[in-house]
Amino acid sequence: METSAKAISTDLLGSYCRLKVELEQEITVLPGQFAMLKPMATLEPLLRRAMAFYDVCSSHGRTYAEFIFRILGRGTQALAAVKPGDEVAFLGPLGKPFDLRPAIGHKALLVGGGIGTPALYLLAKALVACNIPTTAVLGARSLADLVAVEDFANICTTILTTDDGSAGHKGLVTEVVAELLDQNSGCVVYTCGPEVMMAKVAELATNHKAACYVSMEARMACGFGVCVGCVVETMTSTAGCSDSSTETDYVRVCIEGPVFDARVVVW
């Protein structure tokens, strides 16, 4: 859906911004989906920015959506500068969501790294609503880079890690993930964050025979598959052929993703 949204608030959280907007209609957003946003009044930059939904609430014909993003370039700087009442160009919800079904009857392990963490909050809420035991491991370089910690801690078991030891476990988030997978069989892993982190999480999940789903990030121009600028390499099984083998292909993160089974991603 392409429309305009009204900015309700922009809260600066160090190098991050928490943006809340209001839409004058109810929309259904699934965990892992994203929207394309830009301030309506700005001409530069021309293109919208892809933002994972952090939280959504719909009622009485209106929807309130929140996004948490790191302020990096012109696009995110412009979004962080919007004032209450400003119009925001809104395209969404977009993309393939997380699948909760594999976690039913099991435990869910969420692994967030840095700015990838907000993409997992709607998922955490949905898993808890389905009475699925859920643990979130949130990692970052330092305490200042951890986001949404209190919100996660309010709904599920939450473990923090920082590279410098300023909060929680000192070390990589994957060190804690390895320990948890050793202690818990039958976990389903969901992760979003730096690609190198997700690759290691996927490797750990494979070694422990645990299903793993990753939310990939990519620069996007359109968000609906036309520009083909957000591709990721994936494996394509040809097991049915006479010479059974595995080939690779490039698929669009905005359409075929952003959520993928970790086993198909070529890391």
Side-chain angles (χ1 to χ4, degrees), residues 31-32 98-100 103 107-113 116-128 132-139 151-153 155-161 173-174 176-177 180-181 187-193 197-198 201 211-214:
F98 286 108
D99 189 351
L100 277 65
K107 298 178 181 179
L109 177 60
L110 278 54
V111 186
T117 296
L120 300 174
Y121 183 62
L122 269 182
L123 173 63
K125 290 178 66 176
L127 289 165
V128 171
I132 297 171
T134 301
T135 298
V137 184
L138 311 181
D151 289 345
F152 276 91
I155 62 171
C156 67
T157 301
T158 302
I159 302 171
L160 306 181
T161 78
V173 66
T174 49
V176 173
V177 171
L180 290 174
L181 288 175
C187 273
V188 176
V189 182
Y190 301 92
T191 183
C192 184
M197 182 208 80
M198 292 194 293
V201 171
C212 181
Y213 300 90
V214 299

Side-chain angles (χ1 to χ4, degrees), residues 186-187 204-211:
C187 273
L204 290 170
T206 298
N207 292 342
H208 287 81
K209 295 180 173 56

